[in-house]
Amino acid sequence: MHIHILGICGTFMGGLAALAREAGHRVTGCDAGVYPPMSDQLRALGIDLIEGYGADQMALKPDVFVVGNVVSRARLTDGTPKFPLMEAILDAGAAYTSGPQWLAEHVLLGRHVLAVAGTHGKTTTTAMLTWILEANGLNPGFLVGGVPMNFGVSARLGCGAAARSAQVKEEPAQRAGDTEQGAQPPRSPPLFVIEADEYDTAFFDKRSKFVHYRPRTAVLNNLEFDHADIFDDLKAIERQFHHLIRTVPGTGRVVVNGLEESLERVLHQGLWSELRSFGAAVSDFTAVGEPHAFDVLERGQPVARVEWALTGVHNQLNALAAIAAAEHVGVSPADAARALARFENVRRRMEVRGTVQRNGEPITVYDDFAHHPTAIRTTLDGLRRRLGAPSTGKGGRILAVFEPRSNTMKLGTMKSQLPWSLEAADLAFCHTGGLDWDAVEALRPMGERASVARSIDELVAQVSAAARGGDHIVCMSNGGFGGVHARLLAALELRSPND
């Protein structure tokens, strides 16, 4: 099958492209304004990328067009279509489908799907769970909205394709339910771990993506308001999360953050599966100790200990969620904890991009995907907790460099939360290019700790001038951020080490 993917460089669609290529399909795709790590991954796979959404791509004549949710029926100011290829597909009556639907029909069917949903931590928790299963010999397939460093790719078929092929070739006496002598017990379905996004599926399917996945194990990590461009309020998102719960079978498991009132409201709408909770004092799975070294208790009894390189209470909760989900497919908490000791996180999750020496001390530049105020706060709080307060003489300063790039942040819906989200930062620098709201006014409560810049050049100049030895510069965006990390490192190098 030849599939042509519209919006191929998004983290989900790029992962789908990798899976389709591994399954033997011919894959091509198009997008605009690509950036790493997905562009690097696609090129490494030998997938042909076309810049833009020109109607001339109809000449490729694929078997089906797979349409990402970046595509719409929008018009430009001159009245021409923003996505002419989509208009040509519709005019021609060509076959098209959404990414989640194609995935459900061609990859997930017949598998035990473990889906990780939540406003925050989906990518990291999905990567943790996948690594736990891999380290325990279960060879899962996976699709993660980032690149887990334990694997180096964002998606993999796993053992599912071979296992399903073997099942089709089995003799009747080996099939489930057969009682003839020599019959084998039914084999467990192959595993597939997927990051389950609540964002809509496509312009023609406004359900959340995760409704297509039909998991047997569902993790609800947390839930607060986001995606103001498509959801009116938190209640609307809670309704979508309950749609996900409705798809979990009675023999399945729903793993829920016991600290979240919003998820409690979701559960009150109905639950038909086994429930496991984590995080709260009365939950099934709890943690005792600091986020980098803690004991795991299951219903009050110690069952494992996690010691790893990650920081932050949010990652401690992510670990509990992954441990509870892995237990559902036979991995003990102790074995899961041992795997987590070797977990290497995901690219763009506090990923160190480089260091520059100044006055005998390093300035460290990080790349992080945080873009929602809560994610920004938890990221910075985790770093501050690890570093300690500068006043103690043990920790360096934190310089937060961010751009409100997500659709929700561009709308200004959460601008009032920015000072709260940046409390752990010593200095904050906001890139305001493309914003229609006043970032200066929004950050006014921070006083002189906050600066704004309309261009990346101005931003780099501000940060490099303010930086000093021992600082930690955290660059946060859900996009490429204009290559700010490399530009910052270059600018810092140009300054005299003795400035």
Side-chain angles (χ1 to χ4, degrees), residues 452-498:
V452 301
R454 293 198 59 82
S455 70
I456 297 296
D457 286 342
E458 183 183 1
L459 186 74
V460 169
Q462 288 178 353
V463 178
S464 59
R468 65 190 189 208
D471 283 350
H472 298 261
I473 303 174
V474 184
C475 302
M476 294 173 285
S477 170
N478 68 341
F481 208 164
V484 71
H485 322 87
R487 293 166 72 171
L488 263 175
L489 288 166
L492 291 168
E493 287 280 7
L494 286 175
R495 291 175 61 89
S496 166
N498 297 314

Side-chain angles (χ1 to χ4, degrees), residues 392-466:
T392 65
K394 298 179 181 179
R397 298 189 308 170
I398 296 175
L399 279 58
V401 183
F402 68 99
E403 62 171 354
R405 181 184 176 275
S406 70
N407 290 333
T408 300
M409 294 302 290
K410 283 182 179 178
L411 290 171
T413 307
M414 298 180 178
K415 62 184 179 183
S416 63
Q417 297 181 36
L418 283 174
W420 166 80
S421 72
L422 295 160
E423 282 181 349
D426 296 277
L427 298 174
F429 303 84
C430 176
H431 178 228
T432 63
L435 296 184
D436 294 328
W437 47 271
D438 189 349
V440 173
E441 183 61 31
L443 295 169
R444 192 175 300 281
M446 297 186 69
E448 295 182 356
R449 293 168 51 219
S451 302
V452 301
R454 293 198 59 82
S455 70
I456 297 296
D457 286 342
E458 183 183 1
L459 186 74
V460 169
Q462 288 178 353
V463 178
S464 59

Side-chain angles (χ1 to χ4, degrees), residues 204-250:
F204 52 87
D205 182 351
K206 306 314 287 184
R207 295 173 296 171
S208 290
K209 291 177 186 174
F210 56 40
V211 174
H212 292 273
Y213 302 154
R214 301 187 181 182
R216 300 191 70 84
T217 308
V219 174
L220 310 186
N221 220 11
N222 41 63
L223 176 56
E224 63 178 292
F225 185 61
D226 196 7
H227 309 309
D229 53 322
I230 62 170
F231 292 117
D232 293 332
D233 49 32
L234 180 57
K235 185 177 180 180
I237 309 177
E238 290 175 1
R239 186 177 302 113
Q240 291 295 322
F241 270 66
H242 193 250
H243 290 167
L244 174 63
I245 284 181
R246 291 177 184 179
T247 67
V248 181

Side-chain angles (χ1 to χ4, degrees), residues 36-37 347-348 350-356 363-368 473 475 479-480 483-487 489:
R347 287 192 62 186
R348 303 203 67 199
M350 288 304 288
E351 180 183 359
V352 175
R353 293 293 297 270
T355 60
V356 175
I363 299 174
T364 306
V365 176
Y366 303 84
D367 181 13
D368 195 85
I473 303 174
C475 302
V484 71
H485 322 87
R487 293 166 72 171
L489 288 166

